[in-house]
Amino acid sequence: MNCTDINTHIDEYLDGQLSAEDTLAFEEHTGNCDSCRKIVDDSKAMLSGLKSIEVPEPSINFESRVFSEVRRQHSENHRFKFAAGFSTAVAASLAIWFTSTFFIPGGVVDEPQVIAVAMNEVQTVRLMFDSETDFKQVSLSIDLPDNMQLDGYPERRVLAWETSLKKGQNILALPLMAIEQGQGELVARLNYGGKEKILRVVLSSTNDGVFQYQIDEIKSA
Amino acid sequence: MAKITDILLFRKDAHQQFEALIRPHLKKLYHLAYRFTGQRDDAEDLVQELLLKLFPRLEEMQAIENLSSWLSRVLYRQFIDHVRRQKRSPIHYIEDEQAVYETHMSEDAGPADVVNSELTQGLLNDALYKLKEEQRVLILLHDVEGYSLPEINQMLDIPLGTIKSRLSRARNKLREIVHIMEPNARDERVNSENG
């Protein structure tokens, strides 16, 4: 090898990527060439120095702070918003299960199911609306039992608003908290073009958990 | 009723699941973020921003086999997005490399003193941030953090050949900045040898 070869292959040499034969030739040249040897030695020292560059510790409570922020922002972001296309395996499997065993076509669900809600601890109850097509100007109302409240709306027993549904699965996440022991009925009413779909769910103040619930299938007129 | 409870309980507290999934990788994420940004506050912000984006993808992440590698990749993309959003040029041209050298070395110090000096770490760190973004990231991942070229290939989604040539150019530039090799030294040495 000559000086040009050393310049060409120095990084391969430093990374141990040269063949045994080329390594010998490389070292033979650097053994006889002060200029090349100095570049190689200094390069080795440079790489060694790079490895010693330290990373300062993160600030105190970094870990708890980042996770708290995720909890805070995602709790707020999900409040009363629909997330269309929530087609994860979990959602899909629940939809199939409810469709086959719980879905009652054409109106009111007469046998409310019981869902456990924690005392004084906000938990998310998700209502899933599986829509056949896009719908605009859908009226949605939620009637809460006396022993439950929605996080951020402490005095409200009824909430109603206009919204839209997209084709596919739409999720309404309700941040609920039990404020008194007991159980009561949550009624969700969905109105579109004179049609009404109603879900009645019994909320009971016991364990915590996150739930997903399919109300009904909405078909176009 | 029991069946509903059984099915639904496995989604119990998505936040707990998210934190259990991410916590083992958080230190590495911060570490990498610091390498990318060079500032503790910026690194923490970058990780925070990433976690906020990742939370809705909990189920997707739970199915990923090599989560550590995947997280490194999305962190890097987040960093690049952040740089673009800030409308900062991702390329930093070297304008005052002599100043970097002089900041850390006395007038009569030679190149050998640079690499042997106690100030090596500070000088090298400053020199790194005089490199182009793409060069600096490669030096940091390969030479500082010790990632292999295939690992970098996976993380940055850049062809192996491109990584090798960029890394070589990055090292040459770094050698120039810390005066191991003067600018154009390679050409001069080759001309001298041929002449």
Side-chain angles (χ1 to χ4, degrees):
Chain A
M1 284 194 185
N2 55 30
C3 296
T4 308
D5 296 326
I6 298 301
N7 276 319
T8 303
H9 297 295
I10 184 170
D11 288 318
E12 292 167 88
Y13 172 76
L14 293 169
D15 291 338
Q17 300 292 318
L18 282 183
S19 67
E21 187 182 352
D22 286 343
T23 301
L24 271 176
F26 190 99
E27 289 176 347
E28 188 179 343
H29 177 87
T30 53
N32 296 315
C33 176
D34 291 344
S35 171
C36 285
R37 184 169 64 251
K38 180 159 177 52
I39 288 175
V40 172
D41 288 347
D42 284 353
S43 294
K44 283 180 181 174
M46 180 183 81
L47 292 181
S48 173
L50 284 172
K51 284 183 172 56
S52 71
I53 297 176
E54 293 172 354
V55 174
E57 288 295 315
S59 56
I60 298 169
N61 299 329
F62 166 66
E63 183 172 317
S64 58
R65 203 174 60 247
V66 288
F67 286 132
S68 294
E69 187 63 15
V70 172
R71 282 177 178 262
R72 191 185 71 79
Q73 288 208 21
H74 279 285
S75 170
E76 287 179 355
N77 286 344
H78 287 159
R79 190 176 299 165
F80 306 128
K81 289 182 180 175
F82 284 107
F86 188 75
S87 54
T88 64
V90 174
S93 64
L94 286 172
I96 291 165
W97 191 84
F98 279 114
T99 300
S100 60
T101 64
F102 182 63
F103 173 61
I104 300 173
V108 176
V109 176
D110 289 320
E111 296 181 9
Q113 305 298 302
V114 179
I115 291 180
V117 177
M119 278 293 296
N120 300 313
E121 183 181 335
V122 176
Q123 72 176 72
T124 302
V125 174
R126 291 189 171 90
L127 307 179
M128 182 193 295
F129 301 82
D130 196 0
S131 181
E132 194 179 60
T133 185
D134 289 351
F135 284 102
K136 292 180 179 175
Q137 293 184 317
V138 174
S139 299
L140 180 59
S141 69
I142 301 290
D143 292 20
L144 289 173
D146 290 340
N147 67 321
M148 299 284 164
Q149 73 176 31
L150 278 160
D151 186 30
Y153 297 82
E155 303 301 325
R156 301 281 293 275
R157 301 263 62 83
V158 179
L159 289 99
W161 66 100
E162 296 287 321
T163 186
S164 59
L165 295 179
K166 293 186 176 179
K167 182 181 179 182
Q169 293 166 339
N170 299 260
I171 305 290
L172 173 63
L174 298 174
L176 284 171
M177 179 169 68
I179 51 175
E180 289 177 16
Q181 289 290 353
Q183 68 178 37
E185 199 173 80
L186 179 151
V187 181
R189 290 186 175 86
L190 200 60
N191 283 283
Y192 173 77
K195 294 182 176 180
E196 185 174 53
K197 300 289 182 185
I198 299 176
L199 172 74
R200 295 158 59 211
V201 179
V202 173
L203 301 174
S204 178
S205 60
T206 47
N207 301 318
D208 62 293
V210 175
F211 301 95
Q212 194 154 292
Y213 214 89
Q214 178 163 0
I215 285 188
D216 211 339
E217 185 175 1
I218 302 164
K219 295 185 185 299
S220 57
Chain B
M1 243 353 278
K3 194 170 182 180
I4 291 178
T5 306
D6 291 345
I7 289 173
L8 296 178
L9 275 184
F10 89 96
R11 274 193 55 78
K12 181 180 176 181
D13 202 339
H15 283 286
Q16 283 180 10
Q17 291 183 35
F18 178 75
E19 289 166 20
L21 196 66
I22 294 295
R23 188 170 279 114
H25 307 285
L26 194 60
K27 192 172 181 180
K28 178 185 172 183
L29 284 175
Y30 164 76
H31 200 95
L32 270 179
Y34 181 84
R35 292 303 192 199
F36 293 151
T37 62
Q39 297 290 332
R40 188 176 75 170
D41 290 348
D42 290 345
E44 292 182 355
D45 288 348
L46 187 65
V47 173
Q48 178 73 81
E49 199 177 346
L50 179 72
L51 297 196
L52 286 168
K53 280 190 174 177
L54 287 182
F55 179 75
R57 300 172 71 179
L58 174 60
E59 278 100 5
E60 179 189 349
M61 287 194 293
Q62 285 171 327
I64 291 171
E65 199 169 323
N66 189 346
L67 187 61
S68 177
S69 173
W70 186 84
L71 286 170
S72 301
R73 188 160 61 248
V74 292
L75 179 75
Y76 176 70
R77 287 176 186 162
Q78 178 80 14
F79 168 65
I80 294 299
D81 287 348
H82 181 75
V83 170
R84 286 175 182 156
R85 274 203 312 278
Q86 295 288 322
K87 296 185 178 176
R88 292 201 308 255
S89 169
I91 299 171
H92 299 280
Y93 291 102
I94 297 162
E95 293 173 350
D96 55 350
E97 55 198 60
Q98 183 64 29
V100 172
Y101 178 73
E102 288 172 353
T103 299
H104 294 277
M105 299 307 300
S106 62
E107 284 181 6
D108 53 353
D113 299 306
V114 173
V115 290
N116 295 320
S117 164
E118 289 179 358
L119 297 172
T120 297
Q121 189 170 321
L123 185 145
L124 284 174
N125 203 39
D126 285 357
L128 277 173
Y129 288 90
K130 296 297 176 185
L131 293 176
K132 294 177 183 178
E133 192 89 38
E134 62 181 28
Q135 293 179 331
R136 182 167 59 82
V137 166
L138 284 181
I139 292 272
L140 286 167
L141 291 177
H142 187 267
D143 294 337
V144 179
E145 291 296 320
Y147 286 95
S148 69
L149 297 180
E151 285 173 326
I152 296 172
N153 161 249
Q154 274 208 329
M155 191 188 302
L156 307 188
D157 203 19
I158 298 172
L160 264 178
T162 306
I163 293 172
K164 283 182 186 175
S165 57
R166 278 187 191 172
L167 183 63
S168 182
R169 281 199 296 274
R171 282 177 174 175
N172 280 333
K173 198 68 202 175
L174 203 57
R175 279 190 274 263
E176 287 177 14
I177 295 172
V178 297
H179 292 210
I180 289 174
M181 188 184 288
E182 298 298 328
N184 305 317
R186 173 178 295 189
D187 296 338
E188 289 169 12
R189 279 160 48 81
V190 171
N191 290 338
S192 168
E193 188 179 86
N194 292 339

